[in-house]
Amino acid sequence: MAFTFANHAGRSVLVDGDNYHDLEALSAGAVPSDPAAALAHGDKLHDLQKKTAGRAPDGKVDPTKLGAPSPTPQKVFGIGLNYKTHAAESNMEVPDNPVVFAKFSSCICAPNSTIELRSDRVDYEGEIVVIIGNGGKDISLADAWNHVFAITAGQDVSDRPVQMASKPPHFDLGKSFDTFGPIGPVAVSPDALPNRDVIAIKCLVNGEERQNDTSANLIFGIPFLIEYLSHITTLNTGDVIFTGTPAGVGAAQKKLLRDGDVVTTTIDGVGTMVNTCRRVSDHNLPLTKKA
Ligand code: ZN
């Protein structure tokens, strides 16, 4: 049975409608209360989700208490230019091989958290995010989905001047400011999705639709990314892959994020996370090139 996992007030839970069931209690201690540790127990969660039927829940889900479903990933991969339409709006060629960068795991934050802006050129990138369950090395394309714990939504928030500051550009820092990696609100097993190969994502800013696409249009799909990355580095439980953003980013539309903007990211079958932007300071980096 499909499961809906969440990090609620720092504890691992299964979600059933508006309610949550504490996993440590539900599993009689077989699944740890620490959400990061629980990600290794995906195989048990299918049966445990069944057990929530008819059980008194441990409480109602409070969106302000949700944490990142994978709160402390060892590795966070970002994939650049993974939709043809986004490559075109960025005036970049469609890549022959995946464009891979790192987001440092310290940027991972709660789904409904505040995005802190430190320049006037910070951008949203709504993305489908993969959380690895069982780790592995040299994972085959055919086996890749078996290593996915769950799918969630994410924002690959990007400070464009820092992202493009060096020549050649090096994306990691511009995408790793604190607060630049909200994920959530929950994480669902792939069989919970209407179709795991056609995952629909939408991103709105202040209610205006900016991005709307599906994973069917990924240049490098989820199984391929898992195969590719695992041939280079061991994938560990909790590792996170931001699979790339569709067309409609702010830089292409001259609609970058401003203080008070509300970014809404929705994946069909997962849910919606809502992030409010706050212009907290200038980063005052001695950048010579303005992206
Ligand atoms: Zn991105």
Side-chain angles (χ1 to χ4, degrees), residues 24 123 160 170 220 236:
E24 190 180 36
D123 210 343
R160 301 296 186 201
H170 194 69
F220 304 104
N236 295 105

Side-chain angles (χ1 to χ4, degrees), residues 20-86:
Y20 71 84
H21 294 259
D22 187 89
L23 262 169
E24 190 180 36
L26 181 67
S27 69
V31 177
S33 62
D34 173 6
L39 302 177
H41 296 265
D43 52 345
K44 299 190 184 89
L45 301 189
H46 299 274
D47 280 342
L48 287 167
Q49 186 83 49
K50 277 185 213 154
K51 280 195 181 177
T52 63
R55 178 183 182 270
D58 294 295
K60 279 217 177 310
V61 175
D62 177 349
T64 67
K65 289 192 176 157
L66 290 170
S70 178
T72 52
Q74 187 189 76
K75 295 185 289 298
V76 181
F77 300 96
I79 310 298
L81 306 173
N82 205 12
Y83 290 82
K84 284 180 187 170
T85 48
H86 175 57

Side-chain angles (χ1 to χ4, degrees), residues 75-191:
K75 295 185 289 298
V76 181
F77 300 96
I79 310 298
L81 306 173
N82 205 12
Y83 290 82
K84 284 180 187 170
T85 48
H86 175 57
E89 73 177 355
S90 306
N91 300 313
M92 304 288 274
E93 283 178 37
V94 172
D96 294 328
N97 297 295
V99 177
V100 183
F101 55 89
K103 285 171 80 74
F104 297 116
S105 67
S106 47
C107 79
I108 294 297
C109 55
N112 299 309
S113 55
T114 301
I115 296 170
E116 297 182 350
L117 313 179
R118 288 181 164 78
S119 81
D120 289 328
R121 297 192 54 78
V122 178
D123 210 343
Y124 53 88
E125 293 191 354
E127 304 201 7
I128 297 158
V129 169
V130 174
I131 300 174
I132 297 295
N134 297 319
K137 181 82 175 67
D138 298 325
I139 297 166
S140 70
L141 196 67
D143 193 33
W145 277 110
N146 296 327
H147 291 264
V148 175
F149 172 79
I151 299 293
T152 191
Q155 273 291 333
D156 174 22
V157 185
S158 306
D159 185 299
R160 301 296 186 201
V162 174
Q163 180 187 348
M164 298 298 183
S166 63
K167 240 186 226 173
H170 194 69
F171 291 3
D172 304 10
L173 287 174
K175 289 168 173 281
S176 287
F177 283 72
D178 288 3
T179 77
F180 276 19
I183 56 173
V186 298
V188 304
S189 56
D191 55 344

